[in-house]
Amino acid sequence: MEFLRPTSLADALAAKAEHPDAVPIAGGTDVMVELNFDHRRPAALLDLNRVGELAEWTATPDGTRLGACVPYTRIIAELGDRLPGLAMASRTVGSPQIRNRGTVGGNLGASSPAGDTHPVLLATDATVEVASVRGTREIPIGEFYRGVKRNALEPDELITAVHLPEGTGPQQFSKVGTRNAMVIAVCSFGLALHPDGNRVGAGIGSAGPTPIRAVEAERFAAEELSWDSPKPLADAVARRFGELVATAATPIDDVRGTAAYRRHALSVLARRTLTWAWKDYARCA
Ligand SMILES: Cc1cc2nc3c(=O)[nH]c(=O)nc-3n(C[C@H](O)[C@H](O)[C@H](O)COP(=O)(O)OP(=O)(O)OC[C@H]3O[C@@H](n4cnc5c(N)ncnc54)[C@H](O)[C@@H]3O)c2cc1C
């Protein structure tokens, strides 16, 4: 197996153009599992760990540009204020060792519907920046996921960063698993309130072939919430929001849970996270 080790983004993109079949490796927490179990035997690995440009985050006029290879540990330590929802999701990933290595770029590259960052990326209107020797393009997160473990990347492209707009309201992430750590989500849910436009973002994980945006639930909550003079959240609104999130999911029965359980759990997660976020919003409004 060839092991390509570029030291700059330009060299990494040139290597990907020359070897479109080369499998990028960032933290390796997905790639190495596949190699160890012999699920994949690529002709070449493209190691991104020496590409400094991918391992930085920067403040932008609109929010944050998060380099694809910034590990979860740094998101938790450095970005809890700027990206609260993503930091919450990052805290639930694997174990300290996995969080030291694993990256959002890798979560996106794998595009597993169970990846923990996806619900938050959907709820916060993230954009995925991808690049090749042909140029750079930005893909709205809702257009990135294309099927089970499939995404919109072309063979010569790398994920270079994720752009997250500056949050204007509370964000939440919640996940159901058989235990608190080292567990793939049975289902997960990300929520963001966007008071600048009186909007709600709602993303579902591990309950469909791709991460899903709960569009009807978002519309319902946006209309029902008393943005200008916040009143306590009516129980009926929280429950209906939960029902609409459950309806948006398209889960299956598998070893981690039944479709019926996933729908039920999602309705609970949605109801709870909206209640927590709305309380935060009302307190600060
Ligand atoms: C024990 C264990 C526990 C885990 N727990 C969780 C969990 O709780 N939640 C969760 O979501 N995940 C979990 N994972 C999965 C994994 O840690 C995450 O998906 C992580 O985000 C992968 O990041 P990485 O940098 O290690 O990716 P890698 O393994 O390096 O790559 C993953 C995929 O993305 C591609 N890729 C990586 N970087 C790029 C790039 N810049 N451009 C294009 N393609 C790229 C790779 O080719 C590969 O297909 C766990 C894994 C293990 C082994």
Side-chain angles (χ1 to χ4, degrees), residues 24 26-31 48 72 93-94 103 106-107 109-110 115-116 159 175 183:
T29 60
D30 279 317
V31 170
L48 302 177
Y72 293 117
V93 173
T103 64
N107 218 222
D116 284 329
I159 301 164
K175 163 177 170 181
V183 76

Side-chain angles (χ1 to χ4, degrees), residues 11-273:
D11 286 352
L13 296 178
K16 192 70 171 120
E18 201 179 328
H19 306 268
D21 291 339
V23 172
I25 178 164
T29 60
D30 279 317
V31 170
M32 290 312 298
V33 174
E34 291 185 333
L35 296 189
N36 287 342
F37 282 94
D38 219 10
H39 292 160
R40 212 172 194 187
R41 193 55 43 193
L45 283 178
L46 176 58
D47 179 18
L48 302 177
N49 283 282
R50 293 182 175 188
V51 181
E53 295 103 306
L54 297 176
E56 294 306 327
W57 66 266
T58 47
T60 63
D62 303 330
T64 305
R65 180 183 182 277
L66 177 69
C69 293
V70 175
Y72 293 117
T73 307
R74 283 187 56 202
I75 296 173
I76 296 164
E78 300 168 27
L79 292 167
D81 288 343
R82 298 183 71 85
L83 308 174
L86 192 63
M88 280 182 203
S90 301
R91 281 185 210 110
T92 76
V93 173
S95 60
Q97 293 88 342
I98 298 296
R99 293 193 287 273
N100 282 340
R101 297 291 314 164
T103 64
V104 175
N107 218 222
L108 284 165
S111 291
S112 159
D116 284 329
T117 66
H118 309 311
V120 174
L121 298 180
L122 284 168
T124 56
D125 303 321
T127 307
V128 185
E129 181 191 295
V130 306
S132 69
V133 290
R134 297 174 289 113
T136 301
R137 63 188 178 116
E138 292 193 8
I139 307 172
I141 190 71
E143 295 167 24
F144 184 78
Y145 309 111
R146 291 286 168 86
V148 181
K149 300 190 176 182
R150 288 196 297 110
N151 59 48
L153 271 187
E154 296 293 341
D156 64 342
E157 285 179 324
L158 292 173
I159 301 164
T160 42
V162 182
H163 292 264
L164 294 115
E166 186 176 357
T168 56
Q171 300 177 0
Q172 283 289 340
F173 173 78
S174 213
K175 163 177 170 181
V176 170
T178 45
R179 56 185 182 185
N180 271 342
M182 291 291 277
V183 76
I184 301 176
V186 172
C187 62
S188 59
F189 184 69
L191 179 92
L193 300 185
H194 302 286
D196 51 330
N198 292 359
R199 288 186 307 113
V200 173
I204 297 171
S206 216
T210 65
I212 296 167
R213 192 159 193 155
V215 178
E216 283 305 316
E218 290 179 347
R219 270 196 211 118
F220 168 78
E223 279 167 20
E224 292 294 328
L225 295 173
S226 49
W227 297 97
D228 294 335
S229 51
K231 302 184 191 69
L233 185 65
D235 192 48
V237 171
R239 282 185 186 282
R240 182 66 188 143
F241 179 68
E243 283 167 15
L244 289 171
V245 167
T247 307
T250 56
I252 53 167
D253 295 341
D254 67 14
V255 285
R256 279 178 280 137
T258 62
Y261 175 72
R262 285 187 157 104
R263 280 216 169 83
H264 168 72
L266 274 171
S267 71
V268 175
L269 296 184
R271 177 157 45 88
R272 282 187 191 157
T273 51

